[in-house]
Amino acid sequence: MAQPIKVVVTGAAGQIAYSLLYMIARGEVFGKNQKLVLHLLDIPPMMGVLEGVVMELADCAFSLLEHVVPTADPEVAFKDVSAAFLVGAMPRKEGMERKDLLAANVKIFKVQGQALNKYAKKDVKVLVVGNPANTNALVCSHYAPSIPKENFTAMTRLDQNRAKAQIASKLGIAVDNVKNVIIWGNHSSTQFPDVCNATATVDGVKKSVNEAIGNAAYLQNEFVVTVQKRGAAVIAARKMSSAMSAAKAACDHMHDWWNGTNPGDFVSMGVISDGSYGAPKDVVFSFPVEIRNGKWSIVQGLQLDDFAKSKLQVTGKELLEEKEEAMTVCSQD
């Protein structure tokens, strides 16, 4: 058994964390031989609910879980953590766009960035789930200057999982037979789900998704819109935002970041942009990445058609606008 690592989950009394904590404690993220100490952060009014979550974790009798620390104090929560799932944020409600959340939520991530800077390990891997995730990750990084910028990521894996599932359903195949669907840009309704470099294995034969589907109009219209608006569709049906699927995606994201990707497979992550593929620099932009030895790198040399390039421009513009607005809000404190 490896020495225990400390992992923090914020918004730990909330819906996403309820599924997420179970998956982490089972060993589905850091491995079946990695002992864990879980730090659970939430706001003071939620401490009673959080105590119930702690009881349930104890009642699960997880062999990997050495200790659980429930707290409302960022200093306690972020002390010596190796991984951080930043889930806690005001949730999006029906009719709201992510940018409506921006003013309230960026202040939360400013405070958490400052706490990570002071108390966390300098090689901490930070995954921002709370929306607007890309811009929250940027803000968090900005206020944690002692931690490398590449250690802050935003979750677009839920969008990738949604896109894979849509393609698999359309083709009547298992989701594992769909590879290398990409999410570009912002985790918002401007994101671009892209299958130009994706493959599907149908009846044992591997082919491009474009060839397998054979319907460019579907892939440029209905498919894109379905993935872009899936979160809103879940809210309309459940009257609450995605929780189980968001938790699964957070686990997928951190698992691959921690353990690496398979050769030839790439995954979508919101990472600090170096300007690849014409994306604006110094925003957190979702790219296809490969991961080796705990380090991600943007997959280079992929072909983008004019349709894709136009979509990347739209989502890049939104991220620049969000960045400007977020930094203005943060500077007012």
Side-chain angles (χ1 to χ4, degrees), residues 11 88 99 114 123 163 173 178 185 207 211 242 248 290 308 323:
K99 63 187 175 188
Q114 291 166 333
D123 62 351
I173 60 176
V178 180
K207 52 183 79 174
E211 182 190 355
S242 304
K248 164 67 164 51
E290 295 174 309
K323 176 183 178 178

Side-chain angles (χ1 to χ4, degrees), residues 191-214:
Q191 64 172 272
F192 176 48
D194 171 25
V195 297
C196 289
N197 298 278
T199 62
T201 302
V202 184
D203 296 329
V205 180
K206 186 175 176 180
K207 52 183 79 174
S208 75
V209 165
N210 279 325
E211 182 190 355
I213 297 276

Side-chain angles (χ1 to χ4, degrees), residues 184 274-280 285 287-288 298-304 309 312-313:
W184 300 95
D274 62 357
S276 291
Y277 297 100
F285 193 96
F287 291 101
I298 297 169
V299 177
Q300 299 293 343
L302 300 176
Q303 295 302 305
L304 293 177
K309 288 175 185 172
L312 264 64
Q313 272 193 326

Side-chain angles (χ1 to χ4, degrees), residues 149-226:
K149 289 194 182 306
E150 58 266 25
N151 288 34
F152 291 84
T153 64
M155 189 173 83
T156 54
R157 187 60 171 268
L158 176 53
D159 306 303
Q160 180 187 306
N161 287 349
R162 287 166 169 166
K164 273 183 68 170
Q166 290 296 318
I167 295 297
S169 175
K170 185 81 171 169
L171 291 171
I173 60 176
V175 285
D176 286 353
N177 288 332
V178 180
K179 302 281 187 190
N180 295 351
V181 176
I182 299 167
I183 303 296
W184 300 95
N186 199 4
H187 173 61
S188 78
S189 57
T190 68
Q191 64 172 272
F192 176 48
D194 171 25
V195 297
C196 289
N197 298 278
T199 62
T201 302
V202 184
D203 296 329
V205 180
K206 186 175 176 180
K207 52 183 79 174
S208 75
V209 165
N210 279 325
E211 182 190 355
I213 297 276
N215 184 342
Y218 165 77
L219 290 171
Q220 290 191 356
N221 295 286
E222 184 185 337
F223 166 69
V224 171
V225 172
T226 298

Side-chain angles (χ1 to χ4, degrees), residues 93-141:
K93 296 186 174 68
E94 197 165 0
M96 288 175 76
E97 276 296 317
R98 278 170 182 77
K99 63 187 175 188
D100 299 329
L101 300 176
L102 192 141
N105 283 344
V106 292
K107 291 180 181 177
I108 296 171
F109 288 86
K110 175 181 176 178
V111 170
Q112 292 184 353
Q114 291 166 333
L116 283 159
N117 195 55
K118 277 189 187 175
Y119 308 118
K121 290 192 168 188
K122 296 308 172 194
D123 62 351
V124 62
K125 287 177 165 57
V126 181
L127 167 58
V128 175
V129 177
N131 283 315
N134 297 56
T135 298
N136 287 340
L138 186 74
V139 167
C140 209
S141 163

Side-chain angles (χ1 to χ4, degrees), residues 44-64:
M46 297 303 290
M47 286 301 105
V49 176
L50 192 56
E51 194 51 48
V53 174
V54 173
M55 284 188 246
E56 285 215 68
L57 284 167
D59 294 347
C60 286
F62 291 116
S63 58
L64 296 174

